[in-house]
Amino acid sequence: QNQAVLRAADEDAAQAGTTLRPVISWILQSQYSDGTPLGETTTNALKLNLDWEIYDFGRTEIGREAAKEAVLATRQALIGVEQGVLLDAVSAYMDVRKAAQDVQNNQTSVRVIGEELKATQDRFDVGEVTKTDVALAEARLAAAKAALAAAKGSLEVARASYKASVGHDSDGRTMLPRHPSLPKSLAEAQSIAVRLHPSVIQAQHQAKAADLQYELALAQKRPSLGLNVQVQQDEDGRDQGAGTLQLSQQLYTGGKRASGERKALAGRDQARSALSRSAVLVQQQVAQAWSGIAVARAQIEAIDQQIVAAQSAYDGIKDEAALGARTTLDVLDAERDLLSAQSGRTQAEASLEVANYSLLAAMGLLTVD
């Protein structure tokens, strides 16, 4: 869609350069008249007409330059779309990875709780635990199966989003890619963004185009030099030609020209303000992505410690339960805490990867290159 928009903008630039080129047309004319000394007459003629605005005192050149700036701005808009497409692909890939790992974690949970239920049933058979312990394990197993079904549904949704974003089904890969190279400081990242982000460069071209449009509005006061050449042949085969060279200038337009100047001036001010705002927005986006990276890294570090502790607690409580020092509920709660920590790490990993590429996009670097 945006490539088609760019092609249309290219044609606007091509059309802007045709103003000072001649326009040639033919006219087949039949004229009837009555009431003349000759009575009723009908005259047929074939005419060849040439209109050529020879010189417009700079208006065409200004319009051509404004059209070029519009094309350059549209190209930057296309780069912005390119970045969005690629960032959507990154997000879709990480969503599939997270959903797939959630399925694996829930499958493990169903297996572990199933084993715990079997062990609890065996202990109940020998009188070590009550029927309540068995019921707790059965309820927790049913909840784990429900969570597994939900995780599988989320995986299908993630795969559908992947296909919409990438264009084909996921091939099942869930490996983490190598981390992209990132700036060493927030200030460096923001400096790059202000120089390279397509929205900033687009706003620069739009501001330049608006300046030229204002110049063009002022240039409407200038005269025009035009040439008209006409050659005709009547039905009797007689040829006739005429040429006119004309210099003209509008003296009064009823306020239309002055209004056009004011409108162009307002457009110039708007474009300059948009340029200033675009720089502020990309700096804000860079800061948000930078913070997202820091938060995700801190979460992963903390969750890793949580997983180690939760695994240790689960193993210990399970052993204590075998000796009768812990209840079945204690074991199930420890298993749930471990699953929660594992799921939290998967989410934090996905957030970190998306934040990495979001930073590149905020800097204007997430292109195909």
Side-chain angles (χ1 to χ4, degrees), residues 280-304:
V280 174
L281 289 177
V282 297
Q283 288 177 321
Q284 178 186 1
Q285 292 166 2
V286 168
Q288 289 174 342
W290 190 271
S291 297
I293 292 173
V295 169
R297 286 174 175 170
Q299 285 179 330
I300 290 175
E301 183 178 351
I303 291 174
D304 283 342

Side-chain angles (χ1 to χ4, degrees), residues 109 140 303 306-307 309-311 313-314 317 329-344:
S109 179
R140 191 62 62 85
I303 291 174
Q306 179 185 1
I307 290 175
Q311 184 68 59
Y314 172 73
I317 291 174
L329 182 60
D330 293 332
V331 176
L332 295 175
D333 286 343
E335 191 276 336
R336 182 177 58 187
D337 291 341
L338 177 59
L339 175 63
S340 176
Q342 292 169 339
S343 298

Side-chain angles (χ1 to χ4, degrees), residues 21-283:
R21 296 174 186 172
V23 177
I24 302 175
S25 57
W26 62 266
I27 305 168
L28 184 61
Q29 178 178 299
S30 181
Q31 182 177 357
Y32 169 80
S33 62
D34 188 13
T36 65
L38 299 177
E40 295 184 7
T41 59
T42 301
T43 304
N44 300 313
L46 177 62
K47 299 180 179 181
L48 188 63
N49 188 78
L50 180 146
D51 285 306
W52 188 359
E53 187 173 7
I54 299 175
Y55 188 59
D56 62 1
F57 296 87
R59 286 193 297 272
T60 295
E61 183 60 29
I62 295 173
R64 184 186 296 115
E65 291 301 317
K68 288 181 180 179
E69 292 297 331
V71 170
L72 294 174
T74 307
R75 289 178 182 175
Q76 294 301 317
L78 181 59
I79 294 175
V81 173
E82 176 186 334
Q83 290 206 136
V85 168
L86 294 176
L87 186 58
D88 286 345
V90 171
S91 298
Y93 180 89
M94 295 310 301
D95 286 344
V96 170
R97 180 180 187 275
K98 175 184 176 298
Q101 290 193 345
D102 282 343
V103 169
Q104 292 178 0
N105 290 337
N106 280 279
Q107 287 174 336
T108 300
S109 179
V110 168
R111 178 180 55 79
V112 170
I113 296 177
E115 294 173 353
E116 183 62 30
L117 172 59
K118 184 177 182 302
T120 302
Q121 183 66 54
D122 292 341
R123 293 170 64 194
F124 171 74
D125 291 341
V126 298
E128 293 183 2
V129 297
T130 67
K131 186 64 177 177
T132 301
D133 293 297
V134 177
L136 283 171
E138 290 174 340
R140 191 62 62 85
L141 178 60
K145 289 180 177 179
L148 175 59
K152 288 181 177 179
S154 297
L155 177 59
E156 292 304 313
V157 171
R159 285 172 174 167
S161 298
Y162 180 98
K163 184 175 182 179
S165 297
V166 179
H168 58 74
D169 291 323
S170 171
D171 59 8
R173 282 183 294 181
T174 58
M175 292 178 59
L176 283 177
R178 182 172 55 87
H179 289 305
S181 298
L182 300 176
K184 296 180 180 179
S185 68
L186 174 59
E188 181 184 355
Q190 290 177 324
S191 176
I192 294 173
V194 171
R195 288 187 291 108
L196 300 181
H197 198 281
S199 67
V200 176
I201 302 176
Q202 178 186 5
Q204 291 172 346
H205 289 300
Q206 289 172 335
K208 179 62 176 177
D211 289 342
L212 291 167
Q213 289 293 341
Y214 180 59
E215 290 183 28
L216 183 60
L218 296 177
Q220 298 304 318
K221 300 176 181 178
R222 302 170 187 172
S224 295
L225 180 63
L227 172 68
N228 175 264
V229 177
Q230 189 174 94
V231 179
Q232 72 175 46
Q233 185 180 70
D234 61 21
E235 57 191 347
D236 296 326
R238 290 174 296 192
D239 296 332
Q240 182 179 352
T244 304
L245 186 65
Q246 177 177 294
L247 180 66
S248 63
Q249 183 177 15
Q250 292 180 337
L251 298 179
Y252 179 67
T253 61
K256 180 180 179 180
R257 190 169 59 198
S259 175
E261 292 176 6
R262 293 193 298 270
K263 179 180 179 180
L265 179 61
R268 185 190 69 174
D269 293 341
Q270 181 270 335
R272 291 179 176 180
S273 298
L275 175 57
S276 298
R277 178 163 173 74
S278 66
V280 174
L281 289 177
V282 297
Q283 288 177 321

